Amino acid sequence: MKVTRFAPSPSGRLHLGHAFSAVLGHAHARASQGKFLLRIEDLDPGRCRPEFVDGIFEDLQWLGLTVDGKPKVQSERTEIYQQALDRLKAAGLVYACFCTRAEIAQSLTAPHGDAGGAYPGTCRPLPDDPERRASTPHCWRLDAEQALAIAGLPHWMEEDGKRFESKRSDFGDAVLARKDAPSSYHLACVVDDADADVSLVVRGEDLRPSTPTQRLLQRLLALPQPTYLHHPLVTHDDGRRLAKRDLAPTLAAMRAEGVDGRLLAAQLLEGQLPLGFRLSQA
Ligand code: GLU
């Protein structure tokens, strides 16, 4: 019995890529007499809007995908993420970071900077300063070095039986909470997957780079380890990613044009994409 989840962010209307992901997750759950859960990942107050949440329900219904249980809404669950963060704080595995985006970008473009885009670690050696924290915006970062020293390099299994090993360079000092968002995607994702007993995480290949950090957090918090299915992405025929600026058709627009959602879902499950689109490896 597989428990899967569809976890969109309501920062826009859903498009074909979301539909593909949802259809796969739903099919794995149904084929195993399992559960297909919905989680609204609305922790970014600047980007998420209530009308997009309504859109998610409409689109799933149109595709004929039924959700089990009450959908979880991340913005209503901040306390549970805070508890997880507190456990990591108590273990000395996180530190407050006061760097602005501009400062981080500047240090990364400096000649000695880390071209890989990882955080350069400026605030890592600072002693905890509650006064500064009380007066200055900051985020909380995972001390990856320390975390890996405790938990070791994690691995994970994909649904097709492939084992993925992580390597040191997969880990930066990931942000786990910000002043304006009480939990980062990584922390909320692992806490929620565990809380809902998700056993198979179905999501696009573009999120595979998130998996090492999420597996590390699972180990640190002693959470169960799901299997992963990172699926190919739906792109335009020429390989371009679907993005709002590309005028990728939303499911709402396809519905308005008279497309049959259930037929579309059945075709997506067979890997058949509408004209002009294809599946591409990330
Ligand atoms: N909220 C993420 C997105 O919309 C998905 C996260 C996940 O499936 O782990 O891309």
Side-chain angles (χ1 to χ4, degrees), residues 148-201:
L148 288 167
I150 291 177
L153 283 170
H155 68 273
W156 74 90
M157 298 302 291
E158 294 266 341
E159 173 71 5
D160 62 5
K162 269 195 209 127
R163 181 184 160 109
F164 276 73
E165 304 288 344
S166 60
K167 48 190 187 310
R168 179 62 185 92
S169 56
D170 291 335
F171 302 88
D173 284 1
V175 172
L176 298 188
R178 294 199 318 247
K179 197 153 185 241
D180 63 335
S183 169
S184 71
Y185 157 60
H186 290 309
L187 185 62
C189 178
V190 298
V191 167
D192 283 346
D193 282 343
D195 199 44
D197 295 323
V198 170
S199 62
L200 177 65
V201 171

Side-chain angles (χ1 to χ4, degrees), residues 5-11 14 18 21 39-42 74 185 189 193 201-204 206-207 210 214 228 230:
R5 82 322 189 251
F6 178 51
S9 306
S11 55
L14 301 186
H18 296 108
S21 209
R39 178 164 84 226
I40 307 294
E41 299 209 329
D42 61 346
Q74 289 192 325
Y185 157 60
C189 178
D193 282 343
V201 171
V202 178
R203 61 187 179 191
D206 54 338
L207 287 169
S210 298
Q214 294 181 5
Y228 291 83
H230 290 104

Side-chain angles (χ1 to χ4, degrees), residues 63-85:
L63 289 165
L65 306 181
T66 48
V67 168
D68 295 301
K70 195 169 172 287
K72 287 227 165 77
V73 179
Q74 289 192 325
S75 59
E76 295 169 0
R77 296 169 52 76
T78 54
E79 229 162 87
I80 178 166
Y81 311 135
Q82 183 63 49
Q83 285 164 12
L85 184 66

Side-chain angles (χ1 to χ4, degrees), residues 19-41:
F20 183 59
S21 209
V23 161
L24 275 190
H26 183 267
H28 276 272
R30 293 292 167 257
S32 64
Q33 277 79 50
K35 284 188 198 161
F36 175 64
L37 310 177
L38 174 63
R39 178 164 84 226
I40 307 294
E41 299 209 329

